[in-house]
Amino acid sequence: MADQTAADRAADLRRELQKHNYHYYVLDAPIVSDAEYDLLFRELVELEAAHPELRSPDSPTHRVGGEPAEGFQRVSHPAPVLSLANAFGREGAESWFDRIRKLDERVESSAWVVEPKLDGLTVVLHYEAGLFTLGATRGDGSIGEDITANLRTVGSLPLRIPVAGNKIEAPPRLVVRGEAFIPVAEFAEMNRKLAEAGERTYVNPRNTASGALRQLDPSLTAARPIRLLCYGILDGDGDLPRTQWETLAYLRKLGFPVPAEAQHCADLEEALSVAESLEARRDALPFEVDGAVIKLDDLALADSLGVVGKDPRGALAYKFPAQEVATRLEDIATNVGRTGVITPYAVLEPVQVGGVTVRQATLHNFDFVAEKDIRIGDRVLVKRAGDVIPYVIGPVKEVRTGAEREYHPPDRCPSCDEPLERQGEEVALYCVNLSCPAQLVRVLEHFAGRSAMDIEGLGIKIAEQLVESGLVRDVADLYGLQADSLLELEGFAERKAEKLIRSIADSRARPLERLLIALGIPGVGEALAADLARHFRDLDELQDASTEGLEQIEGVGPILANEIAQWFSKKGNLALLEKLRAADVWPVSELRAPTEPQSLTGLTFVITGTLPGLNRAEAKAYIEARGGRVVGGVSKRTNYVVAGESPGSKLERAQTLGIKILDESGLRQMADGQ
């Protein structure tokens, strides 16, 4: 039996970690740093290892995943988990309204609730005396599969309700319905990291979330950025809410994440307007949706209307137009990435998707092409959502004519004709020729990018010219270019050549963190580059750092530390650094010892539009020099949006979330402490 001190400390740690999970995943407003959270988490892990009897079902240590299961048990739902009837456009919704109004005249004066129709996996969550005891899939609506162990790994799912600090009592028993999904931005980032590592990427967030939650090994589920939103009570004991709007508020008080986009509407006309507004903003939402759900607010009235088949009459799925189209796959071509990864892409018969003409789409990787049996000449389904690169979902095999041709991956690089290789267990094919022109073109494009060295005028077309002409064999050669040499290239006149030379020269003044991004060190993006620049004076200090020293930096684990150290150990990279030093491209960190007052410390900003006195990079540097953090997308964690002329959708989202808006003058006043 553990002593009382250990038991009390374990209980305190569970409550504290539960509170921090709630603030991070549900409120989107963390109150401690990742490093502070990790210290508390590790302390609990060590306590439970020393005293196994202290590990309770609501311990956050379950979130890393337990032992693999042999299979999923079937479980019966306490009430039917119903689907929804569909309507496309106002006319269909109004017809549905007319039908249910004839069944009960109270529908005419009823209030409504509109929620986003998440494109995820429906889950059913059971709580006994506030403790999460069972989680299941929807299945056929009557019987689902027990995926409790996997759901425990989802950070936004409360393992005990109410969460610490929420002043409300948990009912004796509660069964909640929700949707598990992967946010669009996190899905894209996950795929980017997988692609860089040469691992298999995934086609869409919904199928990835669904597949992850049905893994027999919970640790595999824990590795995916799955989130949860809850929107209904399926069953329960005690005094439960009587309206849908009260249900969302009740779930929120208990600590469940609920859709922030849900709105209460006085009548159907307002509900339809809200649904149309959601449709107009669908690409700005952080998750994929395929419609809006319109629900009668009065739950008793909704129940009294009954069910048609498996569709309740009291709610409707207002479906949005599909963002998928079919077109002909004319060919499969390949790209060579800056790390040597060879990726296939589809050459399509031009087609309109979401108002944009699409001629090319990603095919993810060669394994995807083989698994889906995608053939040249196939009719394929193509999807595009918002700013996401169009991608092929798969072939329409039913319309094949027999003229389609099977595709076989290349065995030689399409750029340099060197043999391709696989690295270990990776699915990707690599060109390992460091002199491969296509790789160098991509490396130059990345090096000159706006978030890196910001060399104006050096896009991919000019990068191709510089490589093909032999003027540039690595990025350091840029700093030896002469205007006379550029004049020999097609499209270069004296003014254009001088402008590019001047822009290259100006890039010598970029700070250390920008050069770190430009070098393409594995795993080093904007945030980590800034952290490295705070810890190391220059590239000499970083090169001399041990993996143990790198691991002291927040967010750097053993694998990433080893990748950074490996990059600095390669002879080719060291030779490149010496050439950059000789070209006077050797910045000293400006972040290491801040000279400006840290008046913006702890605040997160989004910059949108054109500011009168600062360009985007200058505004970002201005904020970061004063302790603030600049991110690309607006979320609940954003403290301020700095808006200039032509701000776009980020301003609209900020206004929707109630985030404070600043102009450049307001930003400067805040930074000065006014």
Side-chain angles (χ1 to χ4, degrees):
M1 184 74 178
D3 60 60
Q4 187 63 40
T5 303
D8 287 346
R9 180 56 181 162
D12 288 344
L13 286 169
R14 284 195 297 271
R15 282 192 294 270
E16 193 166 356
L17 288 167
Q18 181 190 44
K19 178 178 70 176
H20 294 322
N21 278 331
Y22 174 68
H23 278 268
Y24 185 90
Y25 291 107
V26 180
L27 299 183
D28 211 6
I31 55 177
V32 294
S33 69
D34 290 349
E36 290 172 301
Y37 181 93
D38 289 343
L39 285 173
L40 296 172
F41 188 85
R42 283 199 295 270
E43 183 182 351
L44 181 58
V45 169
E46 290 168 2
L47 259 180
E48 291 179 347
H51 306 285
E53 69 275 17
L54 294 180
R55 196 178 195 206
S56 65
D58 64 333
S59 174
T61 58
H62 287 293
R63 297 199 190 278
V64 299
E67 291 296 316
E70 295 182 2
F72 293 115
Q73 299 294 318
R74 289 158 62 87
V75 294
S76 297
H77 299 308
V81 186
L82 301 172
S83 57
L84 291 174
N86 295 330
F88 296 88
R90 274 181 171 262
E91 187 174 339
E94 288 167 351
S95 297
W96 161 74
F97 177 70
D98 288 339
R99 290 194 299 273
I100 63 173
R101 180 173 53 185
K102 292 174 183 176
L103 296 174
D104 194 318
E105 61 183 14
R106 290 178 295 170
V107 170
E108 182 74 49
S109 57
S110 176
W112 303 82
V113 173
V114 178
E115 303 163 10
K117 187 176 182 298
L118 297 161
D119 194 11
L121 176 73
T122 299
V123 292
V124 179
L125 314 172
H126 294 244
Y127 289 79
E128 302 286 344
L131 184 67
F132 175 60
T133 57
L134 173 67
T137 63
R138 177 178 179 271
D140 64 3
S142 299
I143 297 174
E145 292 178 320
D146 183 345
I147 55 170
T148 307
N150 291 344
L151 283 168
R152 286 186 190 279
T153 70
V154 177
S156 49
L157 183 147
L159 298 176
R160 179 178 290 279
I161 54 171
V163 298
N166 286 20
K167 297 178 180 179
I168 183 175
E169 288 188 12
R173 185 176 66 90
L174 189 68
V175 183
V176 173
R177 179 172 177 174
E179 201 85 1
F181 63 96
I182 296 178
V184 173
E186 294 185 39
F187 177 75
E189 178 64 11
M190 178 191 76
N191 264 346
R192 185 189 66 79
K193 290 180 178 178
L194 290 171
E196 282 188 354
E199 297 180 30
R200 175 182 176 179
T201 55
Y202 292 86
V203 179
N204 60 62
R206 185 198 183 283
N207 291 348
T208 306
S210 177
L213 283 168
R214 298 192 70 259
Q215 291 280 352
L216 293 177
D217 185 351
S219 66
L220 298 177
T221 310
R224 299 290 173 249
I226 298 174
R227 298 289 183 266
L228 177 75
L229 285 175
C230 297
Y231 49 80
I233 295 175
L234 197 65
D235 198 13
D237 298 330
D239 187 16
L240 299 177
R242 299 180 183 180
T243 71
Q244 177 61 19
W245 192 244
E246 290 170 353
T247 295
L248 294 176
Y250 180 67
L251 291 173
R252 187 184 294 110
K253 287 179 182 177
L254 287 171
F256 291 97
V258 300
E261 294 78 10
Q263 292 193 43
H264 187 265
C265 303
D267 52 35
L268 182 67
E269 177 58 35
E270 184 181 353
L272 290 174
S273 295
V274 170
E276 290 168 345
S277 172
L278 272 175
E279 180 181 345
R281 295 187 292 116
R282 69 187 297 188
D283 292 339
L285 297 176
F287 38 71
E288 286 199 339
V289 296
D290 56 6
V293 180
I294 301 174
K295 300 177 179 178
L296 278 167
D297 190 30
D298 187 331
L299 297 178
L301 174 58
D303 287 343
S304 71
L305 295 174
V307 175
V308 179
K310 290 190 175 182
D311 303 335
R313 289 193 176 97
L316 180 76
Y318 182 95
K319 298 298 289 286
F320 298 159
Q323 292 181 306
E324 299 175 8
V325 298
T327 189
R328 183 175 179 273
L329 176 64
E330 296 183 337
D331 199 2
I332 295 177
T334 54
N335 273 326
V336 184
R338 63 184 176 88
T339 60
V341 176
I342 311 296
T343 53
Y345 66 91
V347 179
L348 304 169
E349 183 179 298
V351 63
Q352 285 277 321
V353 189
V356 175
T357 300
V358 172
R359 293 179 171 84
Q360 295 179 358
T362 182
L363 284 165
H364 308 288
N365 53 55
F366 296 113
D367 279 12
F368 175 78
V369 176
E371 288 171 6
K372 293 291 185 179
D373 186 24
I374 297 171
R375 304 179 184 182
I376 296 171
D378 263 333
R379 194 155 184 81
V380 292
L381 289 175
V382 180
K383 182 169 182 176
R384 178 184 180 273
D387 295 328
V388 176
I389 297 170
Y391 59 88
V392 172
I393 298 171
V396 185
K397 296 180 180 179
E398 295 78 8
V399 298
R400 280 181 173 164
T401 64
E404 296 81 13
R405 292 180 289 119
E406 289 188 13
Y407 176 75
H408 300 284
D411 56 9
R412 305 189 78 85
C413 176
S415 175
C416 66
D417 202 39
E418 289 292 313
L420 299 178
E421 297 180 8
R422 287 189 188 271
Q423 297 185 359
E425 299 291 319
E426 295 183 11
V427 301
L429 285 171
Y430 282 87
C431 172
V432 295
N433 174 19
L434 295 178
S435 300
C436 175
Q439 288 185 58
L440 180 53
V441 168
R442 295 294 182 182
V443 167
L444 286 175
E445 181 188 28
H446 173 78
F447 187 86
R450 186 170 295 178
S451 64
M453 299 301 276
D454 193 17
I455 301 176
E456 186 179 353
L458 181 48
I460 191 166
K461 297 297 183 185
I462 291 178
E464 288 173 349
Q465 287 181 287
L466 294 174
V467 172
E468 289 171 3
S469 65
L471 289 173
V472 171
R473 291 180 173 82
D474 58 40
V475 296
D477 284 344
L478 290 171
Y479 296 94
L481 286 175
Q482 300 294 322
D484 291 347
S485 300
L486 294 177
L487 291 175
E488 297 177 9
L489 302 180
E490 183 180 351
F492 270 91
E494 188 172 336
R495 184 176 178 184
K496 182 177 179 179
E498 289 177 352
K499 185 176 180 181
L500 179 57
I501 295 297
R502 186 167 57 251
S503 183
I504 292 171
D506 290 345
S507 73
R508 285 188 171 92
R510 304 289 180 253
L512 177 60
E513 62 271 20
R514 301 281 287 280
L515 179 57
L516 289 172
I517 296 168
L519 289 172
I521 303 168
V524 178
E526 289 188 42
L528 181 53
D531 287 339
L532 291 171
R534 291 187 183 95
H535 283 77
F536 301 101
R537 181 177 183 274
D538 57 18
L539 288 168
D540 280 325
E541 283 194 5
L542 179 54
Q543 179 183 332
D544 293 339
S546 65
T547 54
E548 292 79 9
L550 290 167
E551 286 180 48
Q552 300 306 308
I553 300 171
E554 184 178 341
V556 178
I559 295 175
L560 182 53
N562 185 61
E563 286 183 340
I564 295 171
Q566 284 290 319
W567 191 93
F568 280 96
S569 70
K570 292 180 179 178
K571 290 182 179 178
N573 293 337
L574 294 177
L576 173 64
L577 294 181
E578 285 307 312
K579 286 184 69 173
L580 288 171
R581 190 201 301 268
D584 197 26
V585 185
W586 204 258
V588 174
S589 176
E590 299 173 359
L591 298 179
R592 194 172 184 186
T595 57
E596 300 291 343
Q598 301 297 285
S599 50
L600 305 181
T601 298
L603 299 177
T604 300
F605 296 80
V606 169
I607 304 166
T608 182
T610 303
L611 302 178
L614 298 169
N615 63 32
R616 187 70 58 92
E618 290 169 342
K620 184 173 185 292
Y622 180 87
I623 291 169
E624 290 178 343
R626 289 153 180 80
R629 179 167 175 257
V630 178
V631 297
V634 178
S635 71
K636 291 179 185 176
R637 296 188 202 179
T638 307
N639 298 110
Y640 295 93
V641 166
V642 182
E645 292 183 12
S646 306
S649 61
K650 290 180 182 178
L651 178 60
E652 295 175 7
R653 177 157 175 75
Q655 291 168 334
T656 301
L657 294 175
I659 293 167
K660 295 178 181 177
I661 313 297
L662 298 172
D663 57 11
E664 184 182 325
S665 174
L667 172 64
R668 292 183 183 277
Q669 289 176 6
M670 176 181 288
D672 292 340
Q674 297 180 19

